[in-house]
């Protein structure tokens, strides 16, 4: 590669935006295909969207910043409970307001989690994250007056969106609402990961000492990212509350956290597309296999994970991207 | 001239090993100092102590008269104290262009921006390629660092330090690992450093030391045993002994 070619070629920026347009188009096509191919399964697809937001949020701290966490559902569940409690106890049933409240709840949980988890490194970090999710879970369990405890929080009945689009029995409104939210979040996150801040975060994952030797604050940057991650997970949680009209303790569970991490690894850590593809693959396989054979579902997930980690360590998307890149370079 | 940078009675022990013993020195604007000494003398440790990557047992570090001993590494960089690493520390998946741009954005206080891209900032792009040009890295601007040679990574390491526009620059063996045919690039870069910048360079290549330094400090077993003109260092008895001792120990190990 010559100097002139690499500098005068189409700016990487434009190329990036073209790829994003393709990505957005792909999400739209998949969304429309899902709507028409599985009209009786929209509830599953809608749940998938909520989980995608959780996995995207996890990707921000784990994939982009290198923070190991098994407690990320704390951010998702906080968003879900914030929106649910606002609706069930305070009569705030306007869906967009509920989503905003969920985002704030998630951001707050992100701030708390970040401050605690980032005190540790490596294994200690992982242990702190597990402690966090258990504490959040227990707090929600104890505050049963507000959260409904182990029975879950019900009595959430959101108004029509913008006063027009009513939530229907088939879940069509919820699905379209979810797709709109997902696209919005996706576009904002594409801007974020490409920004100077996003670049700084990638730097922190690769060498925090170098980042501090540049005069940047590793800790402050990570905490900011945790708060943003909380916003995203909070939107996911709130959307789940709006679309299912219940919030259960499982939204704040260790299992939910661990599954989110599995989905991210499956799809490919450190790429927004990886987060989306990992979620689709996991939830879809879970649905297929658990219907066919509920007893061996976990065995199959285990086998699948081993296969991915051994043979496609960059995940489904990461491996595919590498292959395409290699093909392109070879084809030149 | 009053000291820009001062180290007072710095001490550090790892377990029972005294790696830094009562080290004091001062640098003024425009100084070109070489810090030499046998392997294991404590040179890198000294840099780590001064830049806040290690905590000293006692002693102070001052910049422009201000005590920065309690500053973390980030704050010391912001006070104008910048280092390079003996073993390259770079972001393997990022390109030289991204490295330098990030350092520029950081210096300008723009690294926290959550929208936009440096590639759309003409001033950042121009400066990035000016810096890459001085180190002959322009052609590699968009190649991931993991795919460029170690010698070129060393040059990028220096580029990053320069980009931050320090007042005091500590270079830990900048030429280590650079093929001999490329050391002139590093020398060129050193020759282009701003005149009023104070530079302390750790280096083993004595030819390079003599061409670069107006003053030499010799560290042996954690202690400063010589601080003076380069010509006098070669004739100093303790310096000769330290080097011979160092090599003797080295070959025995
Ligand atoms: N983190 C550490 N823990 C224990 N010993 C260390 C540490 N860092 C350096 N040392 C020891 O301190 C001595 C000085 O090391 P160093 O400062 O790297 O020497 P130099 O850079 O002069 O070759 C060596 O004996 C080394 O083994
Ligand atoms: Mg050293």
């Amino acid at each position: 590669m010559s100097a002139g070619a690499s500098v005068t070629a189409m700016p990487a920026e434009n190329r990036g935006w073209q790829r994003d347009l393709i990505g957005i188009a792909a999400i739209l096509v998949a969304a429309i295909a899902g709507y028409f191919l599985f009209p009786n399964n929209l509830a599953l697809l809608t749940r998938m969207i909520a989980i995608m937001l959780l996995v995207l949020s996890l990707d921000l701290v784990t994939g982009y910043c290198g923070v190991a966490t098994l407690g990320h559902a704390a951010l998702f569940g906080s968003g879900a409970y914030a929106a649910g409690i606002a609706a069930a106890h305070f009569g705030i049933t306007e869906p967009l307001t509920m989503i905003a409240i969920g985002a704030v709840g998630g951001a707050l949980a992100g701030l708390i989690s970040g401050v605690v988890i980032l005190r540790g490194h490596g294994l200690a970090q992982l242990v702190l994250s597990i402690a966090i999710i258990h504490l959040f879970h227990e707090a929600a369990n104890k505050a049963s007056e507000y959260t409904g405890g182990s029975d879950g929080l019900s009595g959430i009945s959101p108004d029509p969106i913008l006063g027009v689009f009513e939530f229907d029995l088939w879940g069509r409104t919820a699905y379209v609402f979810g797709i709109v939210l997902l696209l919005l979040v996706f576009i904002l996150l594409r801007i974020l990961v490409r920004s100077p801040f996003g670049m700084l975060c990638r730097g922190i994952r690769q060498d925090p000492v170098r980042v501090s030797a540049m005069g940047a604050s590793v800790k402050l940057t990570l905490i900011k990212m945790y708060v943003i991650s909380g916003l995203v997970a909070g939107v996911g949680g709130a959307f789940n509350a709006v679309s299912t009209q219940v919030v259960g303790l499982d939204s704040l569970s260790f299992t939910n956290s661990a599954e989110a991490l599995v989905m991210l690894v499956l799809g490919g850590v450190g790429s927004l597309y990886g987060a989306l593809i990992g979620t689709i693959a996991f939830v879809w396989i879970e649905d297929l296999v658990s219907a066919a054979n509920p007893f061996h579902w976990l065995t199959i997930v285990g086998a699948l994970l081993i296969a991915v980690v051994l043979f496609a360590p960059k995940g489904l998307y990461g491996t595919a991207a590498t292959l395409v890149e290699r093909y392109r370079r070879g084809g030149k | 001239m009053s000291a820009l940078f001062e180290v007072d009675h710095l001490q550090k022990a790892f377990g029972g090993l005294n790696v830094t013993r009562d080290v004091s020195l001062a640098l003024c604007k425009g100084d070109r100092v070489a810090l030499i000494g046998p392997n294991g003398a404590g040179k890198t440790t000294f840099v780590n102590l001064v830049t806040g990557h290690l905590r000293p047992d006692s002693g102070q570090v001052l910049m422009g008269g201000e005590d920065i001993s309690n500053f973390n590494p980030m704050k010391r960089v912001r006070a104008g104290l910048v280092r390079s690493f003996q073993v390259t520390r770079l972001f393997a998946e990022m390109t030289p262009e991204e490295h330098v741009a990030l350092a520029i954005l950081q210096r300008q206080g723009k690294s926290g921006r959550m929208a936009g891209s440096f590639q759309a900032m003409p001033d950042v792009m121009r400066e990035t390629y000016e810096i890459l040009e001085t180190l002959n890295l322009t052609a590699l601007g968009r190649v991931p660092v993991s795919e460029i040679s170690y010698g070129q990574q060393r040059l990028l390491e220096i580029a990053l330090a320069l980009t931050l526009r320090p007042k005091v620059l500590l270079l830990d063996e900048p030429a280590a690992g650079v093929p001999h045919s490329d050391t002139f690039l590093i020398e060129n870069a050193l020759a282009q450093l701003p005149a009023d910048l104070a530079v302390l360079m750790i280096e083993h290549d004595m030819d390079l030391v003599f061409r670069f330094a107006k003053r030499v400090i010799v560290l042996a077993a954690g202690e400063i045993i010589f601080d003076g003109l380069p010509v006098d260092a070669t004739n100093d008895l303790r310096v000769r002994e330290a080097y011979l001792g160092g090599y003797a120990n080295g070959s025995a190990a």
Side-chain angles (χ1 to χ4, degrees):
Chain A
M1 166 189 284
S2 79
S6 67
V7 178
T8 54
M10 178 171 23
E13 197 196 336
N14 287 353
R15 238 176 300 154
W17 281 117
Q18 280 179 2
R19 261 185 38 196
D20 283 354
L21 284 181
I22 295 172
I24 291 165
I27 295 175
L28 269 175
V29 168
I32 293 167
Y35 185 91
F36 287 108
L37 290 178
F38 307 102
N40 302 318
N41 240 345
L42 286 186
L44 178 73
L45 298 185
T46 305
R47 189 166 73 90
M48 222 182 242
I49 295 169
I51 301 173
M52 275 177 181
L53 290 165
L54 167 62
V55 178
L56 280 174
S57 155
L58 176 64
D59 201 14
L60 293 182
V61 297
T62 300
Y64 286 90
C65 298
V67 179
T69 169
L70 277 168
H72 214 66
L75 285 58
F76 179 85
S78 297
Y81 274 111
I85 290 170
H89 294 286
F90 298 96
I92 302 174
T93 48
E94 202 286 305
L96 295 181
T97 316
M98 285 173 70
I99 298 288
I101 291 171
V104 173
L108 218 66
L111 181 64
I112 296 169
S113 301
V115 167
V116 174
I117 291 172
L118 295 171
R119 291 201 73 86
H121 294 281
L123 206 54
Q125 202 164 60
L126 214 55
V127 172
L128 284 172
S129 73
I130 295 172
I132 281 275
I133 188 65
H134 285 308
L135 285 175
F136 271 73
H137 187 272
E138 199 44 34
N141 191 20
K142 282 279 146 62
S144 54
E145 207 173 303
Y146 283 101
T147 61
S150 52
D151 296 336
L153 177 64
S154 51
I156 304 167
S157 39
D159 300 339
I161 301 168
L162 303 172
V164 181
F165 304 103
E166 220 161 315
F167 287 96
D168 54 303
L169 271 178
W170 300 273
R172 286 177 195 146
T173 306
Y175 180 69
V176 174
F177 184 38
I179 292 294
V180 171
L181 280 179
L182 181 68
L183 274 177
L184 213 66
V185 167
F186 182 81
I187 292 168
L188 289 176
L189 291 187
R190 285 305 301 172
I191 294 173
L192 181 78
V193 299
R194 193 199 301 290
S195 71
F197 177 77
M199 195 157 67
L200 191 62
C201 289
R202 277 188 289 138
I204 289 175
R205 172 169 56 78
Q206 294 170 63
D207 194 340
V209 174
R210 164 49 74 195
V211 169
S212 71
M214 279 181 172
S217 171
V218 171
K219 194 73 174 275
L220 195 67
T221 307
L222 290 180
I223 287 185
K224 277 190 205 163
M225 194 54 141
Y226 242 102
V227 172
I228 295 169
S229 174
L231 283 171
V232 174
V235 168
F239 171 65
N240 205 40
V242 168
S243 61
T244 61
Q245 311 201 347
V246 288
V247 180
L249 273 181
D250 58 326
S251 68
L252 264 181
S253 66
F254 173 76
T255 311
N256 197 12
S257 304
E259 281 186 356
L261 189 61
V262 168
M263 292 180 217
L264 183 58
V265 171
L266 188 63
V269 176
S271 139
L272 299 181
Y273 297 105
L276 299 183
I277 288 169
T279 311
I280 295 174
F282 184 95
V283 176
W284 183 56
I285 297 169
E286 177 187 41
D287 190 60
L288 272 185
V289 180
S290 63
N293 189 337
F295 298 108
H296 287 134
W297 140 241
L298 281 174
T299 318
I300 292 178
V301 169
L304 189 77
L305 258 188
I306 291 175
V308 165
V309 170
L310 290 185
F311 301 113
K314 290 178 178 172
L316 297 173
Y317 176 76
T319 306
T322 311
L323 289 179
V324 169
E325 176 76 4
R326 199 177 296 162
Y327 173 79
R328 266 201 200 151
R329 281 195 188 186
K332 256 187 192 176
Chain B
M1 202 199 277
S2 72
L4 173 64
F5 169 72
E6 230 179 306
V7 177
D8 277 336
H9 304 293
L10 215 55
Q11 301 263 16
K12 177 75 184 177
F14 290 119
L17 185 68
N18 288 309
V19 184
T20 308
R21 305 176 193 225
D22 198 27
V23 169
S24 300
L25 61 85
L27 298 181
C28 296
K29 268 191 179 179
D31 270 357
R32 294 289 185 270
V33 180
L35 177 65
I36 63 171
N39 273 329
K43 303 180 296 293
T44 297
T45 303
F46 171 76
V47 173
N48 284 331
L49 291 172
V50 163
T51 54
H53 289 93
L54 279 176
R55 181 166 280 282
D57 298 334
S58 64
Q60 264 119 45
V61 181
L62 294 91
M63 278 287 286
E66 186 192 3
D67 188 348
I68 58 164
S69 308
N70 292 322
F71 285 19
N72 61 22
M74 168 196 82
K75 278 185 164 177
R76 294 185 200 211
V77 173
R78 292 182 183 176
L81 180 59
V82 170
R83 71 174 296 181
S84 73
F85 293 91
Q86 179 178 353
V87 178
T88 307
R89 300 199 79 121
L90 298 167
F91 311 127
E93 294 163 18
M94 281 159 66
T95 62
E97 179 186 286
E98 288 176 306
H99 279 81
V100 175
L102 188 57
I104 295 171
L105 291 166
Q106 175 57 37
R107 189 192 73 215
Q108 296 177 340
K110 293 179 186 164
S111 67
R113 289 200 179 175
M114 295 186 183
S117 142
F118 72 89
Q119 284 159 334
M121 302 178 191
D123 56 323
V124 174
M125 282 304 274
R126 196 176 320 115
E127 189 184 341
T128 298
Y129 275 91
E130 273 167 24
I131 290 169
L132 291 177
E133 188 64 53
T134 52
L135 290 151
N136 241 12
L137 290 171
T138 309
L140 300 169
R142 294 204 170 145
V143 181
V145 159
S146 57
E147 291 172 23
I148 70 179
S149 76
Y150 191 73
Q152 287 155 336
Q153 292 182 22
R154 298 300 294 156
L155 292 171
L156 182 55
E157 178 91 27
I158 296 175
L160 289 184
L162 288 181
T163 306
L164 296 169
R165 297 201 185 145
K167 294 184 188 128
V168 176
L169 178 58
L170 309 173
L171 296 168
D172 195 353
E173 302 199 26
V178 179
H180 218 69
S181 54
D182 281 354
T183 41
F184 77 94
L185 290 170
I186 294 199
E187 279 206 75
N188 282 352
L190 295 177
Q192 289 177 43
L193 293 175
D196 62 350
L197 174 66
V199 187
L200 180 111
M201 177 175 73
I202 298 173
E203 187 48 65
H204 281 303
D205 181 341
M206 292 315 270
D207 294 333
L208 195 59
V209 166
F210 282 113
R211 282 198 293 271
F212 170 79
K214 312 256 171 355
R215 177 179 149 206
V216 169
I217 297 173
V218 184
L219 203 65
E223 230 176 335
I224 294 186
I225 57 165
F226 178 88
D227 186 342
L229 294 175
V231 276
D232 297 337
T234 44
N235 301 322
D236 189 277
L237 209 64
R238 288 186 67 191
V239 173
R240 283 167 167 246
E241 247 172 42
Y243 266 92
L244 285 176
Y247 287 126
N249 288 343
S251 56

